[in-house]
Amino acid sequence: MRPLSFRAFLPLALVLTASLVMAASPARTADDLPVIAHEVNLVFDVPAHQVLVADSLELPAGLDHLRLGPALELADAALAAALSQAEDEDGPYQRLDLAALGLQDGGHLDLRYGATFYESVENTVFSRENVGNEITATISDEGIYLSGMAQWLAWHPDAMATHTVHADTPAGCETVTQGRRTRHEEADGRLLTTWQAVHPADGLNFIASRFVVHEEAVRDGVVSYTFFLEDDARLRATYMERTRAYIAMYEEMIGPYPYAKFATVENWFPTGYGMPSYTLLGGQVLRLPFIPYTSFGHEIAHNWWGNSVFVDAAEGNWCEGLTVYCADYHYKELEGEEQAREYRRNNLKDYAAYVHDPAQDFPLSEFKARHSGASRAVGYGKSMMVFHMVREMIGREAFLSAIQEVARQHLFAKTTWSDFFAAFARASGRDFTAFQEQWLTRKGAPVLWLEDVEFGDDQVQFKLKQGAPPYALDVPVQVATADGVENRLVPVDKMSNACTLKVAGARSLTIDPDYQLFRRLHPGEIEPTLSQVLGVAVPAFVLDNPAPDMAEAARAFARDFCELQEGFAFRTGGQLIQDPDPDQPFAQVVINPGAELLKKLQPEGLVVAGKTVYLAGKRYGLDTHDLVFAVADPVLPGRTALVILCDSPQRLEAMSRRVTHYGKYSWLALPKGQGRVERGNWPVGDSPLMVKR
């Protein structure tokens, strides 16, 4: 390989040594955010794990410094006097003082530097529940991955940036980043690629590997790419079709697609990221049969919410909840009313499971990003329900009109919750001041209960109560009669609300039967589910006299399940734990219990007889399936236990990565070979919010 040289690929106009030239400031976004314009040249030496960067920047006025990652080594010693070491809550960085360079009023800056990045991807974890072991940058034979977290480009926390990226990689090593690809040619054993991202963003991720690349037109001005590590015509066709379908759907729902492309990129280590104009999905996740119809659409929706309509975190991160509403929840609504109802119920179940400790809770105005099951339940689930409650208040037409207005007026601009509530107010003529205050600045959720229900010939009377301080709510109430059901909205704003509904022949009364409100469910409304154990940070593991290889596999399962190398409790001998710390959340995971213990753990509706399992009207064999189920803990009232029946150390060790995807279910029957994971839920008992005559 020839020696790396900036001259081999840089435009002639680019100055190769760090120099300072005053120039006009670049354009600003709609809300006058400062924007840095980068013209970046990258040359990679893959065997050495190195990159050389020549970055020509146009700086706006008003920035006092730029940040660079600690791994970057500037080529020009003349800048050393303006460079200092610094650290904040996000870690160490190098601070380049712009005032010392005479650039506090903006201008032109050329930076030339190199860096070595070689983080191992072997133990990389991308978790739905907790932030796992995620890398920031690596350059290897498998591929090149530079994330914004590595600070490989100069940036400022209060500025956005546009990017033109010229990349020089080994021939066959295809690159992808945000923006439009404007150059793609091979020369002298190298691949020269240019990506132009003209829209502001808060950072840049860059990926390269030996991808098989395909391109198709979505419509005029928009193309779809697949970057797969192996050619797969069937998979490619699925993602191309889904890309066209989702873009068409969201253009109708929200507004024009804001980018020139959308690329589906396969990663060689686990990720699930959505960036401006592309998504980066780990190969295993990419091939799950349900992903193109669920999570993939969520990532495309982020190209409106979060990637082009930016989040102003001053009032909290609204975009995850709105993306869930427009994607995951919307798909269930398209399936039918019952599927949408079950999605809302599962949201409330997640909140009950993951936010069982008040110390885990926080107001939506403080949500920034997901880092645990609890933060997901609030920042995604509660946020989605807030948008749903608004839509129920003002109607679908006014709701869509409002979010379309925000998408138009705040394109490539920072946006707050208040911007949305102002649009909802304009679309509906309603005042959302009190609603916004109680749902964004208060942590927690209302708890409702019934008292003193009396059925008369032509009416039903009751007291609808809630905790302190009370919420102002329009509570859905359903009254069943011999002729059907009547649905009413009952406004409440006190801790005790006396209500009378004129309904002849009422037979039963149910509060919020379709889970239209964000509220804390009563235990009687929730069946045991896997999430109730997943929501416990460090459960205890109980083994029934396992063989040495199974004991070691169980410890590996526990490490993955807890995302910890140590610190979890093990007990062998098949005795359930009856004396946990009463002040700590607790659950136990029972692995391969013997016959005597298993009998204590079988819920109604499950029979295990030898190697045969009778479950939900079907029969499974433990020689063909592994079984996982949640059950009310038989020795600890109010707690949930998880039971695992698996006779293979290899499958047990890998099982934790599978079960975390199924938290809303009560039981899983996992085929030992290829096949569909069967799953279901135990029946729910009578709700304390339903009273029969």
Side-chain angles (χ1 to χ4, degrees):
M1 177 181 293
R2 62 180 172 79
L4 289 180
S5 166
F6 282 105
R7 279 186 200 279
F9 192 49
L10 299 187
L12 293 178
L14 185 63
V15 180
L16 297 184
T17 57
S19 62
L20 310 173
V21 182
M22 300 305 293
S25 297
R28 294 171 178 258
T29 53
D31 60 352
D32 209 34
L33 281 172
V35 177
I36 302 168
H38 293 268
E39 177 136 6
V40 186
N41 291 263
L42 307 175
V43 183
F44 291 93
D45 182 344
V46 174
H49 317 296
Q50 292 180 342
V51 59
L52 298 179
V53 181
D55 189 4
S56 178
L57 301 93
E58 300 296 336
L59 300 174
L63 301 183
D64 61 346
H65 75 281
L66 294 176
R67 297 186 180 202
L68 294 162
L72 307 185
E73 297 182 11
L74 289 174
D76 193 329
L79 292 176
L83 197 65
S84 60
Q85 304 301 311
E87 187 169 356
D88 60 13
E89 64 273 11
D90 296 321
Y93 63 93
Q94 300 184 81
R95 187 182 192 278
L96 186 63
D97 188 341
L98 295 180
L101 300 175
L103 289 171
Q104 67 273 15
D105 295 324
H108 183 90
L109 171 65
D110 285 319
L111 294 176
R112 183 184 179 204
Y113 50 88
T116 301
F117 295 113
Y118 189 38
E119 295 181 52
S120 172
V121 303
E122 183 177 351
N123 296 315
T124 302
V125 174
F126 183 78
S127 169
R128 176 176 180 266
E129 305 305 342
N130 301 296
V131 174
N133 179 27
E134 300 176 38
I135 73 166
T136 60
T138 194
I139 300 171
S140 72
D141 290 336
E142 288 183 288
I144 297 165
Y145 174 74
L146 305 178
S147 80
M149 296 290 290
Q151 304 179 91
W152 62 280
L153 287 178
W155 68 290
H156 189 282
D158 296 325
M160 307 299 283
T162 61
H163 304 87
T164 298
V165 180
H166 309 283
D168 180 336
T169 56
C173 185
E174 298 281 354
T175 72
V176 61
T177 186
Q178 56 213 49
R180 182 194 302 272
R181 191 171 72 178
T182 60
R183 184 186 185 190
H184 184 265
E185 60 184 83
E186 288 193 16
D188 300 326
R190 307 289 292 181
L191 178 63
L192 309 179
T193 313
T194 296
W195 293 93
Q196 189 170 29
V198 298
H199 299 305
D202 60 0
L204 189 78
N205 286 19
F206 179 91
I207 299 96
S209 189
R210 296 196 174 277
F211 294 119
V212 179
V213 183
H214 287 273
E215 176 183 354
E216 292 183 8
V218 174
R219 59 162 175 77
D220 289 346
V222 179
V223 297
S224 173
Y225 289 94
T226 55
F227 287 74
F228 291 166
L229 296 173
E230 295 180 3
D231 199 11
D232 187 328
R234 192 171 179 180
L235 191 68
R236 178 176 76 244
T238 297
Y239 278 97
M240 289 291 193
E241 184 276 328
R242 287 288 82 203
T243 298
R244 290 192 297 273
Y246 286 126
I247 287 178
M249 180 176 73
Y250 289 128
E251 287 196 320
E252 181 178 352
M253 178 188 289
I254 306 170
Y257 182 68
Y259 296 105
K261 76 155 191 312
F262 185 82
T264 305
V265 185
E266 179 182 0
N267 204 359
W268 60 97
F269 58 90
T271 50
Y273 301 145
M275 275 80 73
S277 77
Y278 70 105
T279 184
L280 181 65
L281 301 176
Q284 185 177 12
V285 168
L286 186 79
R287 286 168 172 77
L288 291 173
F290 57 86
I291 290 295
Y293 305 95
T294 54
S295 303
F296 182 63
H298 179 107
E299 301 306 335
I300 291 182
H302 264 309
N303 281 278
W304 283 266
W305 307 129
N307 285 341
S308 63
V309 180
F310 303 139
V311 173
D312 185 337
E315 294 182 1
N317 180 352
W318 51 265
C319 88
E320 297 298 352
L322 185 54
T323 302
V324 169
Y325 174 85
C326 291
D328 313 64
Y329 177 61
H330 179 60
Y331 308 152
K332 293 300 180 182
E333 286 196 308
L334 294 176
E335 292 177 23
E337 291 183 7
E338 185 57 35
Q339 289 84 348
R341 176 185 184 272
E342 191 62 17
Y343 190 94
R344 296 191 297 271
R345 190 173 88 90
N346 285 330
N347 242 352
L348 303 186
K349 284 164 52 180
D350 263 6
Y351 180 74
Y354 291 102
V355 196
H356 43 74
D357 182 349
Q360 298 171 301
D361 212 344
F362 56 91
L364 277 174
S365 59
E366 295 180 6
F367 175 65
K368 299 298 186 289
R370 174 189 66 86
H371 55 80
S372 65
S375 59
R376 178 180 55 80
V378 175
Y380 289 59
K382 181 178 182 178
S383 179
M384 187 284 289
M385 286 296 293
V386 168
F387 283 108
H388 172 73
M389 289 187 291
V390 171
R391 191 197 69 178
E392 291 299 290
M393 293 169 66
I394 69 176
R396 178 177 172 79
E397 184 176 343
F399 181 88
L400 291 180
S401 174
I403 66 172
Q404 289 165 6
E405 175 192 319
V406 173
R408 286 193 309 271
Q409 295 188 356
H410 294 265
L411 185 64
F412 303 112
K414 284 194 173 184
T415 308
T416 65
W417 275 103
S418 291
D419 294 320
F420 281 96
F421 280 110
F424 295 143
R426 287 190 292 271
S428 65
R430 299 183 62 146
D431 184 353
F432 279 92
T433 304
F435 182 95
Q436 179 178 351
E437 175 73 16
Q438 77 174 9
W439 287 111
L440 297 192
T441 65
R442 286 182 62 175
K443 71 177 184 178
V447 177
L448 303 175
W449 68 93
L450 279 168
E451 287 185 3
D452 302 334
V453 180
E454 296 183 6
F455 294 96
D457 292 337
D458 62 352
Q459 67 181 25
V460 57
Q461 294 180 310
F462 56 94
K463 288 181 180 177
L464 186 53
K465 294 196 168 184
Q466 60 173 314
Y471 284 76
L473 304 169
D474 288 331
V475 180
V477 177
Q478 187 177 89
V479 181
T481 71
D483 298 324
V485 297
E486 292 195 22
N487 293 299
R488 307 283 181 86
L489 281 179
V490 175
V492 301
D493 57 7
K494 297 184 290 292
M495 292 175 61
S496 182
N497 302 267
C499 307
T500 300
L501 298 179
K502 295 292 184 180
V503 181
R507 293 185 171 184
S508 69
L509 173 73
T510 309
I511 303 301
D512 192 26
D514 294 324
Y515 309 96
Q516 303 283 10
L517 297 176
F518 184 77
R519 59 185 176 87
R520 185 170 288 279
L521 296 177
H522 292 266
E525 295 181 90
I526 312 173
E527 72 281 16
T529 62
L530 274 64
S531 64
Q532 292 158 20
V533 179
L534 292 168
V536 174
V538 187
F541 297 84
V542 176
L543 289 78
D544 204 344
N545 298 314
D549 60 345
M550 189 61 77
E552 182 53 38
R555 289 184 180 276
F557 171 89
R559 285 194 292 269
D560 283 350
F561 193 88
C562 300
E563 297 183 8
L564 292 171
Q565 290 300 308
E566 56 186 21
F568 40 82
F570 259 85
R571 176 177 290 184
T572 58
Q575 296 297 314
L576 294 176
I577 299 171
Q578 303 186 43
D579 55 350
D581 184 342
D583 296 325
Q584 295 294 326
F586 178 81
Q588 46 196 333
V589 179
V590 186
I591 299 174
N592 292 331
E596 182 177 345
L597 179 56
L598 183 58
K599 286 181 182 178
K600 299 178 183 178
L601 293 164
Q602 290 182 52
E604 185 177 349
L606 171 67
V607 176
V608 181
K611 289 285 188 179
T612 303
V613 176
Y614 299 91
L615 175 61
K618 293 185 179 181
R619 182 172 63 185
Y620 300 92
L622 291 177
D623 55 346
T624 60
H625 287 77
D626 298 321
L627 184 66
V628 178
F629 63 90
V631 61
D633 194 305
V635 298
L636 297 171
R639 309 292 180 96
T640 299
L642 190 66
V643 181
I644 297 172
L645 301 178
C646 174
D647 60 11
S648 164
Q650 293 75 26
R651 288 199 310 279
L652 176 61
E653 187 171 344
M655 190 179 291
S656 68
R657 291 187 289 274
R658 302 182 71 185
V659 300
T660 55
H661 293 285
Y662 298 96
K664 65 185 178 183
Y665 296 105
S666 299
W667 59 265
L668 308 173
L670 301 139
K672 294 183 177 180
Q674 297 294 320
R676 182 179 184 272
V677 175
E678 299 291 334
R679 63 269 201 193
N681 288 80
W682 310 129
V684 183
D686 288 340
S687 167
L689 292 179
M690 181 180 71
V691 176
K692 297 179 181 179
R693 188 166 191 169

